Amino acid sequence: MSFRIAVVGAGPGGLFFATIAARNLPGAEVVLFERNRRSDAFGFGVVFSDATLRRIDQADPVLRDALRDHGRHWERIDVMVGGEQHGFSGNGMAAIHRRTLLELLQDNAERAGVELRFGAVAPPVGELSANFDLVVGADGTNSTVRAHLEEAEPIGHQVTTATAKFIWFGTTHLFEGLSFVHRESEHGAFAVHGYPISDGLSTFIVETDPGTWRRAGLDRFDVDQPPGASDTDSQAYLEKLFATDIEGAELVTNNSRWGSFKTRRTRTWVRGNVALLGDAVHTAHFSVGSGTKMAMEDAVSLADELVRADGDLEAALDTYQDVRKRSVARIQDAAGPSLSWWENFGRYQRELDPLTFSFHFFSRSIDIDRVAERDPGLAASVRDAWLAEHGTAALDTPVRLGEVTTTGRLLSFDATLGSLSDGEHELPSDAVTVLEAPLDEADLDAAVAALPSSGAVLIHGGGELTRVLLSEEARLRRGLTSVIVIDATRVEGDRRAGVRSEAETLVLSRRADAVATGAGAA
Ligand SMILES: Cc1cc2nc3c(=O)[nH]c(=O)nc-3n(C[C@H](O)[C@H](O)[C@H](O)COP(=O)(O)OP(=O)(O)OC[C@H]3O[C@@H](n4cnc5c(N)ncnc54)[C@H](O)[C@@H]3O)c2cc1C
C-alpha cells in the first residue's frame, strides 16, 4: 500500500526529508512543491561546523561529499579590527555555496524517486491534507503551512526580532576562512561576516545597528519591491567602506536587502497529518551557523520516526516533535549570547582594545580553558596582555570596591546575609550596591535605570546573559566597577576549576571587574 507524502518547500530541509522518506519508507510516494524555479537560490553560502554533522552524514553522505568536493574548509576564525588581526585556531568548519548544495540535494531527491514540482506554489494545506497521508511544511520562515495550522488553533509561535540590521552579499575576494571584519564609518560601526564558499566567491554578510544604518542613509531602499531587486546604494556604500579589506573587489548582489534577524520558536510542530520542519518552526541567529543543519537534522529525525513507527503516524509525529524540540532548544539557547553580542558589537568595538575585543567575541559561549584547549597561543596572549598591564594574573589582581581594595578578583557572596568576602576579609556592606538582574532581556532598561552614578555594583539573580549585559552597561557606559555573581552550586568538587575559568574569562574579557560565587545568589 502506498503512503503519499506532500512536501512544501525545496530548501535543504524539504529536499533532504523527501529523499530519505522516498528511500527508506516502504511504499512512500513523495511529491515536493517549490514555488521557485529549479535554478533560483537566494543567499550565498552556508557554514557548517565539522563537529556537528554526524547525524546528517549517517543518514546520507550528500552533504559531506558536497563539502569535500565543492566546499572550502578551514580551522581558524579571524577578527580584523583597529588595524589588527587576531585568530582563533582549532575551529574546524566548512562552507559551500547554497546553490551548489541545493543542486546536489535536488539531484539526490530525483534519484530517490521524489516527484519534484518546481515553479509550483503548493495547493492550500486543507487540500493537501485531504489528498495526502502526510503533509510536511518545510516552507521556510514565512511558512504558509504554519500559518494554516495557527489559523485553526494557536501553535505557540513566538518571534523575537533583533534590532541589528544585516544584509547579505557575495564578493569575489577570497577570505582565508571565517573572517569578521570591523570598521567604523563616520556614521557608526559596521561588521562583516566573510567566508569563502567556492574557488571564486565568498559570502559577505554585513551587520550594523539601526542608528548607524539610518545615519548612513541605508534605509532608503523601497522594500515593497518584489523579491529579486537588490539595494545597490547600500552595495556601493559598503564596497567603499570595506574596499581595503576586500582589495577593491566588487560585492555581488542576489536579492540583497537589509533585514532584521527573527528568532522563531514554536510550541506545536505537528497536528493531525501535518508536520513542520526547519525554518518554518525554528531559527537560530546565523552567527552560530546552524539553520541548515537543524533543518536537515529535523528531516532525518522525521523520516526515521516514520520508518520506526511502522504505520502509526501519530506516534511518529509526536516522537519527532519531542526529540527535535529538545535538541533545537539547546542550539537556540546557545545562540542567545551570540545574537546578543551582535546586538551590541558597536559598543565593544568602541570600548575595548583589539585583542580584548577579539577575545570578548571568541568567549561568547566558551571559557578561557576551552579556548586554551583549541588554541593555547590565543589564551596565552590574552593572559600575557593582562599580566603586562597589571603585573599579576587576572584573578590575583586586587580591585578597589568602595573604600577597600580586595586581595583578588574571585570573591564570595552570601545572598542571605548580603555579605561579600575576598577570602581574607569580609568587605564592608557599603563597598558595593547590590542589584538584581532581570530574568528577561526585555526588562533590562529598568535595571539599568537603577544603576548608581558612581562606585561599585554587585549583580546577582536574573540569567547569565542579563547579568553580563547589566555589568557591561555599568562598566563600559557608566564607568562603575562591577562584580558579577555566578552560580555557586557549580563550585562543588571538580566544577571548581570550571568556575575559576569562567571567572577568569569574565574578567579578562572585561565583562566584569570581579566575580563572586555564592550559594543561591546567582
Ligand atoms: C543571513 C543568513 C545567513 C545564514 N547562514 C547560515 C549558515 O552559515 N549556516 C546555516 O546552516 N544556516 C544559515 N542560515 C540559515 C539557513 O539559510 C536556513 O536555516 C535554512 O535555509 C533553512 O532551511 P529550510 O529548508 O527550513 O527552509 P528554506 O531554505 O527557507 O526553504 C524553504 C523553501 O520553501 C519554499 N516555499 C515557501 N513557501 C512555499 C509555498 N507556499 N509553496 C512552495 N514552496 C514554498 C521557498 O521558496 C524555499 O525554497 C542563514 C540565514 C540567514 C538569514
Side-chain angles (χ1 to χ4, degrees):
M1 213 183 64
S2 76
F3 184 76
R4 302 191 68 234
I5 304 175
V7 180
V8 184
L15 283 165
F16 205 46
F17 168 75
T19 306
I20 310 170
R23 206 185 279 151
N24 297 352
L25 201 60
E29 275 178 37
V30 187
V31 180
L32 191 152
F33 300 89
E34 169 55 53
R35 64 180 174 194
N36 289 331
R37 289 168 306 171
R38 188 167 185 143
S39 55
D40 290 340
F42 291 143
F44 288 92
V46 274
V47 187
F48 298 89
S49 160
D50 286 356
T52 58
L53 300 180
R54 192 178 49 86
R55 183 102 203 263
I56 296 170
D57 293 344
Q58 274 170 355
D60 186 317
V62 59
L63 177 59
R64 186 189 62 204
D65 295 349
L67 291 170
R68 184 195 59 214
D69 298 340
H70 305 277
R72 302 279 298 207
H73 187 267
W74 62 85
E75 294 287 332
R76 236 169 88 106
I77 303 173
D78 279 298
V79 170
M80 286 85 147
V81 63
E84 294 184 20
Q85 176 166 348
H86 296 284
F88 182 10
S89 307
N91 292 285
M93 285 184 196
I96 188 168
H97 201 305
R98 181 172 149 100
R99 175 172 293 157
T100 309
L101 177 62
L102 288 176
E103 281 165 7
L104 294 165
L105 290 170
Q106 289 162 0
D107 295 347
N108 212 28
E110 226 155 33
R111 275 196 300 276
V114 176
E115 184 185 329
L116 294 169
R117 295 193 193 164
F118 285 99
V121 172
V125 183
E127 195 179 304
L128 287 175
S129 163
N131 293 329
F132 288 83
D133 298 297
L134 171 66
V135 179
V136 176
D139 48 347
T141 49
N142 297 318
S143 171
T144 48
V145 180
R146 183 188 68 225
H148 171 88
L149 289 189
E150 196 145 36
E151 244 170 55
E153 203 184 311
I155 57 171
H157 183 67
Q158 291 175 355
V159 185
T160 318
T161 306
T163 60
K165 297 281 172 192
F166 77 90
I167 189 165
W168 199 339
F169 295 99
T171 171
T172 47
H173 171 79
L174 282 190
F175 289 104
E176 279 179 25
L178 184 55
S179 308
F180 295 96
V181 188
H182 294 264
R183 288 244 166 233
E184 190 92 21
S185 80
E186 73 266 39
H187 306 111
F190 288 85
V192 171
H193 309 221
Y195 54 88
I197 56 171
S198 71
D199 292 342
L201 201 65
S202 294
T203 281
F204 191 93
I205 301 170
V206 183
E207 291 209 64
T208 190
D209 62 88
T212 303
W213 180 67
R214 267 184 229 104
R215 281 191 296 278
L218 303 177
D219 57 345
R220 288 195 206 113
F221 182 73
D222 172 12
V223 286
D224 293 330
Q225 295 185 61
S230 292
D231 180 346
T232 48
D233 287 348
S234 295
Q235 175 192 11
Y237 181 96
L238 295 166
E239 267 171 0
K240 197 167 158 215
L241 181 62
F242 290 100
T244 50
D245 306 296
I246 55 175
E247 296 167 320
E250 278 185 9
L251 295 184
V252 182
T253 57
N254 177 353
N255 199 39
S256 304
R257 295 154 176 225
W258 292 99
S260 299
F261 191 81
K262 290 185 165 58
T263 302
R264 295 175 182 276
R265 292 184 168 84
T266 313
R267 189 187 59 237
T268 305
W269 296 21
V270 300
R271 183 176 297 149
N273 68 343
V274 180
L276 298 167
L277 64 75
D279 273 16
V281 261
H282 52 68
T283 55
H285 190 243
F286 52 84
S287 60
V288 296
S290 292
T292 307
K293 174 185 108 83
M294 288 195 292
M296 293 178 79
E297 284 177 346
D298 288 352
V300 177
S301 172
L302 180 56
D304 279 0
E305 295 309 333
L306 289 168
V307 172
R308 219 190 318 269
D310 195 21
D312 185 345
L313 183 63
E314 193 181 337
L317 298 191
D318 284 349
T319 314
Y320 156 71
Q321 175 178 283
D322 269 12
V323 170
R324 289 303 301 156
K325 262 180 86 171
R326 266 182 275 137
S327 171
V328 163
R330 274 197 298 276
I331 293 176
Q332 288 185 316
D333 289 348
S338 191
L339 187 147
S340 166
W341 195 91
W342 285 105
E343 291 284 83
N344 293 298
F345 77 88
R347 171 194 292 185
Y348 307 139
Q349 198 168 311
R350 279 186 295 276
E351 303 291 340
L352 303 174
D353 66 85
L355 176 62
T356 307
F357 174 82
S358 306
F359 178 65
H360 191 281
F361 175 66
F362 294 140
S363 60
R364 286 172 342 276
S365 53
I366 62 171
D367 61 34
I368 185 133
D369 283 356
R370 284 175 62 208
V371 169
E373 281 164 21
R374 292 188 205 172
D375 188 339
L378 170 63
S381 63
V382 173
R383 285 174 166 142
D384 288 350
W386 179 282
L387 206 57
E389 192 180 332
H390 299 272
T392 40
L395 296 185
D396 300 330
T397 306
V399 63
R400 191 150 180 86
L401 299 177
E403 296 302 310
V404 291
T405 301
T406 65
T407 52
R409 298 203 177 205
L410 185 54
L411 316 172
S412 64
F413 175 62
D414 186 320
T416 324
L417 302 173
S419 65
L420 186 64
S421 154
D422 66 1
E424 288 184 18
H425 323 94
E426 187 91 349
L427 306 181
S429 59
D430 60 357
V432 291
T433 304
V434 177
L435 287 177
E436 189 167 349
L439 269 173
D440 199 321
E441 252 185 277
D443 301 323
L444 259 176
D445 285 352
V448 166
L451 285 169
S453 53
S454 61
V457 287
L458 177 135
I459 299 167
H460 72 114
E464 233 169 90
L465 184 58
T466 53
R467 286 197 295 274
V468 165
L469 291 174
L470 190 54
S471 169
E472 288 178 341
E473 182 70 30
R475 296 190 74 252
L476 301 178
R477 201 155 282 178
R478 311 288 173 102
L480 305 174
T481 304
S482 138
V483 183
I484 290 184
V485 180
I486 59 177
D487 188 354
T489 53
R490 295 160 61 196
V491 296
E492 301 303 325
D494 58 2
R495 297 302 306 263
R496 182 169 281 279
V499 167
R500 280 195 71 81
S501 174
E502 186 180 342
E504 189 185 0
T505 309
L506 288 168
V507 173
L508 286 172
S509 63
R510 312 308 197 266
R511 287 179 170 92
D513 294 287
V515 174
T517 59

